[in-house]
Amino acid sequence: MTSGTYSKTAMLILCGIFAAITAICSLITIPLGFTPVPINLGTLAVFLTGGLLGKKYGAVSITVYVLLGATGIPVFSGARGGIGVLAGPTGGYIMGYIAAVLVIGLTTEALMKRHASQGKAAPAGLMAISMTAGLLVCYALGTAWFMISTASPLWTSLVSCVIPFLPGDAVKIAIAALLTSKLRPLLTAGNS
C-alpha cells in the first residue's frame, strides 16, 4: 500500500489498526517452560504489517505497538507491558519487530514495483523470502539481546529462542505471504 492510494489520515488509521492487530496476536501465547520466549502470533502480525503497509507505515504501526507496551499497556505476550519487558530477555525480539517490518516493507515494495511493471502480482514465494529476511533480522537482534541479558552462549540461546520456533514461523510466513500476495494488489490498485 502506498500513500498515493490513500490519504495520510487513512494510512495513519491503518497504522493504528495494525498496531492493535499486533497487540491481539501477541496476546495469543503458548508458554514453553524451557524458555522465557513463548510461542505467539506477534510475528504473523509483523509479517502482514510489513507486507501490506510497507516500510514507512509498517514501521510507524509497529513502533506504536512497542511504545504502547513500553508505557505499561499490557500488549506484549503474557499480557505484559512496561520498560522492564523491553529490558528483559525477550525485549530484543520485540524491538526486532521494528527492524523486521522495515526489511519486509522495503523488499515487498521492491517486489511489488518490479512485478507491477510487468502487469503481475508478486508471487507468494517471493513474499515469503521477504518475510524470512525480516524474521532473520528479528532473530539476530533478539538473540543478541537474549545473550547479553542472560549471559547465555550462542548455542544455548539458539536452542532456547530460535530453533523451537522455526516450524511455527514457517507456517506463519506461508500464511502471511499468501495473504499479502492476494491483498496488496487490491490495496494498491488505485495507483495504476
Side-chain angles (χ1 to χ4, degrees):
M1 182 177 308
T2 64
S3 56
T5 304
Y6 294 93
S7 71
K8 190 172 187 177
T9 302
M11 291 304 297
L12 291 175
I13 290 168
L14 285 171
C15 289
I17 290 169
F18 275 86
I21 289 169
T22 305
I24 292 165
C25 286
S26 294
L27 294 175
I28 302 168
T29 62
I30 302 170
L32 295 179
F34 64 89
T35 177
V37 182
I39 294 173
N40 75 51
L41 296 179
T43 50
L44 175 63
V46 170
F47 300 147
L48 289 170
T49 302
L52 294 173
L53 296 185
K55 66 182 179 298
K56 178 181 175 183
Y57 290 106
V60 169
S61 178
I62 298 301
T63 300
V64 166
Y65 161 75
V66 172
L67 290 174
L68 287 171
T71 62
I73 298 171
V75 295
F76 299 142
S77 67
R80 299 173 302 141
I83 293 291
V85 176
L86 294 176
T90 62
Y93 297 102
I94 297 168
M95 295 302 293
Y97 284 2
I98 299 169
V101 82
L102 284 168
V103 168
I104 294 164
L106 181 67
T107 54
T108 298
E109 287 170 6
L111 288 170
M112 295 302 292
K113 185 176 183 179
R114 179 173 165 233
H115 283 81
S117 69
Q118 301 168 356
K120 307 185 272 189
L126 290 177
M127 295 293 182
I129 292 169
S130 170
M131 292 169 186
T132 300
L135 180 64
L136 291 175
V137 170
C138 183
Y139 272 152
L141 294 172
T143 302
W145 181 249
F146 184 85
M147 291 171 62
I148 292 166
S149 67
T150 63
S152 297
L154 177 61
W155 179 249
T156 302
S157 300
L158 290 174
V159 168
S160 296
C161 303
V162 175
I163 295 170
F165 301 95
L166 293 176
D169 285 335
V171 171
K172 290 183 252 182
I173 286 171
I175 292 168
L178 285 170
L179 288 172
T180 299
S181 68
K182 298 294 183 196
L183 295 176
R184 181 134 179 166
L186 297 174
L187 296 172
T188 58
N191 273 341
S192 49

